Amino acid sequence: MIERLRNDKRPLILILIAILVLGGFFLVVAPLFATGGTASAALGGTLPSSGTAGKSVEIDVGYDNTGQSVINPTCLLIDVTGPLQPSTVSFQGLDVVPVKNGEACGGALNGQETISMRVIMQATGSGTAQVTLTPAKGLSGIGPGISGSIPISGS
């Protein structure tokens, strides 16, 4: 058998090629299935410069999963003081979820994936509202958000 391998190198070359292909597969494809690790995300966007009492205030936000793990559920924590009442969050323009207890959750977000959200709030009166939006996995904040004030003028 050894004498045969000395004379014909093809089986060794085929085995070497098979090992390289299999190794390449695991180096390229296996990390795509890695969903563990600590969840982290960041929000992008800006708050509107003003609002009008009795009308809706819309905030467009980009939700970026900055980690490798899956964020499930993908949530947005909304903290508002002043004359604004959060009502709904639209995930990717497809799922419209009501805000309950300062939180709105959609589906799952894969690692390094970004989605768009639109937060709809109702201006209930005049004054200045302080708004903080935080990316979350369930009730746990997982990264930097957006915060600031929105002046609301009378109708």
Side-chain angles (χ1 to χ4, degrees):
M1 175 82 163
I2 296 176
E3 186 64 34
R4 183 175 168 208
L5 287 175
R6 285 184 187 158
N7 294 333
D8 188 7
K9 305 285 187 209
R10 282 183 284 167
L12 291 176
I13 292 172
L14 290 175
I15 290 172
L16 182 62
I17 290 172
I19 290 171
L20 289 174
V21 168
L22 191 59
F25 174 80
F26 283 109
L27 285 174
V28 172
V29 176
L32 297 176
F33 295 105
T35 59
T38 304
S40 62
L43 296 181
T46 58
L47 297 176
S49 59
S50 65
T52 304
K55 295 189 178 179
S56 296
V57 173
E58 297 182 3
I59 305 169
D60 289 322
V61 177
Y63 192 114
D64 184 15
N65 182 346
T66 57
Q68 296 298 325
S69 67
V70 174
I71 299 173
N72 187 16
T74 301
C75 297
L76 185 64
L77 302 179
I78 303 168
D79 183 37
V80 178
T81 57
L84 277 179
Q85 179 65 43
S87 60
T88 61
V89 176
S90 172
F91 291 80
Q92 289 288 94
L94 301 172
D95 292 334
V96 178
V97 178
V99 177
K100 294 181 183 173
N101 299 321
E103 176 187 38
C105 295
L109 188 61
N110 294 322
Q112 301 298 312
E113 188 176 11
T114 301
I115 61 169
S116 64
M117 296 179 171
R118 177 169 283 171
V119 181
I120 307 294
M121 298 188 193
Q122 302 303 319
T124 58
S126 61
T128 300
Q130 297 296 323
V131 177
T132 301
L133 305 175
T134 307
K137 180 176 183 178
L139 292 173
S140 301
I142 55 173
I146 300 170
S147 63
S149 60
I150 302 174
I152 308 295
S153 61
S155 53

